[in-house]
Amino acid sequence: GGGTAAKRRAAVRRRPRAAAASRVCASVGVSVRCAVLVGKEVWVVARDTGSILVHDAMSATVAHTILSLHHLILTMAVVPRQADTNGQAARETVWCGTEGGALLLYDAQTRALTRELSRGHAGGVQCIAPQRPLSTAPGAPVGGGSGGLLVVTGGSDRKLCVWTARGVLKRSFVGHTQAVRCVLVLGAHIWSGADDATLRVWDLAHAIFQLAQSEACVATLRSEHTGSVRALLASGPGHVLSASEDGSVCKWVGAPTFACVQRVGCAGQPTALLPMGRRVWVCCGRTAGIEVRDVLTLALRDTLRGGADGRAGAVAAIRVSAVERRVAWTWVPGEPSAVVWEREEAETRVSADEYSEALAQADALRAAQDEHHEALAAVREAARGAALRGLCTRAALARELEAALELCAAQAREHERLQREFMEQQAADLAEQRELQLLCEQLERRADAQQDAHARELDAGAAREAALERELERVRAERDSARAELDGLKHDASAAFVERDLLRLQGTQLRLELDDSRHQVHCLRRAESASAVAVAGAGQAPPVLESVGAASSSTAPPSPPPPLRADRSMPVLGAGRCGTQDDSVPQQRRRAHEPAHQRAARLQMLAAASAAPPPTAVE
């Protein structure tokens, strides 16, 4: 029965559509930096002025201008409206990424700036991707409360930021080595492409539940692309298309393998991917135009050329009966205009015979459906009996659950009691900790006071030590001066000793000369005595002897001279000399040349010494 129903369903499938026609329907005279579709309007950022121009999506006429004077907008995206905590539907929000890293949030209906986020990125925001709802009714708000939709942004600072739709930063991901150019939220994963020619897949749960950063990146895809990855697009269940500046478009399969299943080359450098029903438009740059490829097989179906065709930014899909009309805007950065494309796909009409055959097939399907309903009713009766048995089992389980709940309640009460005791013990511990802290503070203050006193004592000791050092320096100076003075006195004493030795030497010489003189006088007296004896025998007295005798008679007999004492320090000159006339010859020769005054003084000394008798030692 199932195979027959499948054949019948295949027989009434709609026939393939006729070939689609794409044409240029309008041209916008503005240099476009970026654009986004907001309802039935297209918001365009003018490259020369930086303002946001609001155009009608179909006619391309300007309806409004939004000034953005302080920020240079690089990219835009529309975040679907959400239901807030009060159940009221919020409006759609247009997120604008700027060159300075700030995010501007505009209300899609009033076109007013509602918020500015500036703490996410440190560089320019290059891409914005909101999380798409899985299934919602047309025009109905999605999400609600704190667990609403998320918005992912990528920037030149090589970082991805995950925000809530209300502008709260949830998490940041770091892994790319160059600027992030595109981002896509697909299911429970975030896909990102960057200038480092790699794609990275991140786990969205790490942003929602604040898990570890080291496990956030679940895959790094770097083998297929060699240039900057500029665009990402979801195609079919679990498949992602990526476009790179190396001229390739790759098709990737999602979790758990994250492998490349297909790779095709393009005529130019793909910079954007635009979904157009069963086709995908690949914008291949300024000269290569737009390649129309099948979204499933990536087979080339057509090539569009005309006007500025380097990048696609917004898509509007409107269905009118059997004709599907799609409008796309494309532009090249730096070109003075943008091109509006229109694509129509018409279905073939059904003939009367084909319509009758379709009605017969529909009646057969209704009969098969009735049979299926009858079988389903029998199954429902059997299920009802099983449900009754299940209810009995559930009642028994409910009673067991009540007993278990009572036990849990008792355990909860015991837990509360233990928790109260724990809190009381913790309060006591805190009080004791405060007392210990106060005691520690007092001990610290005492220690500080003791340290201050010790420091003062050290300063006083240092001062005393400095005073003692100064006193020691003064004593050393006095000692040095005393030593210098003592050295002077020693020098003076040495000079006095030398002078004394000289005087002793002179005295010794004078004594020797006196002894010689006395010896001569003694010799003269002996000679005189001998001559006096001779004269007395002759009866004549020489005048010399008479004068001498008179002098001798007139004077009293002299006392004997003191005995000569030899100085221990100086040798006695002339000791042991014999008193002969030959011994005085050298002295007589010297005296012959001596001055007159010295001679007179010497004679006076001799005269004074002649009065005394000669010493016993000489005799």
Side-chain angles (χ1 to χ4, degrees), residues 508-520:
T508 303
Q509 291 178 356
L510 291 176
R511 286 192 186 96
L512 293 176
E513 290 179 357
L514 182 59
D515 293 339
D516 292 340
S517 299
R518 285 180 178 177
H519 180 68
Q520 291 177 4

Side-chain angles (χ1 to χ4, degrees), residues 290-315:
I290 301 175
E291 294 184 356
V292 180
R293 293 181 176 272
D294 189 271
V295 71
L296 298 178
T297 63
L298 296 182
L300 182 61
R301 301 302 183 187
D302 194 6
T303 301
L304 307 179
R305 299 179 184 273
D309 51 4
R311 183 179 176 88
V315 176

Side-chain angles (χ1 to χ4, degrees), residues 528-546:
E528 185 180 358
S529 299
S531 61
V533 171
V535 172
Q540 297 179 352
V544 178
L545 295 176
E546 290 179 357

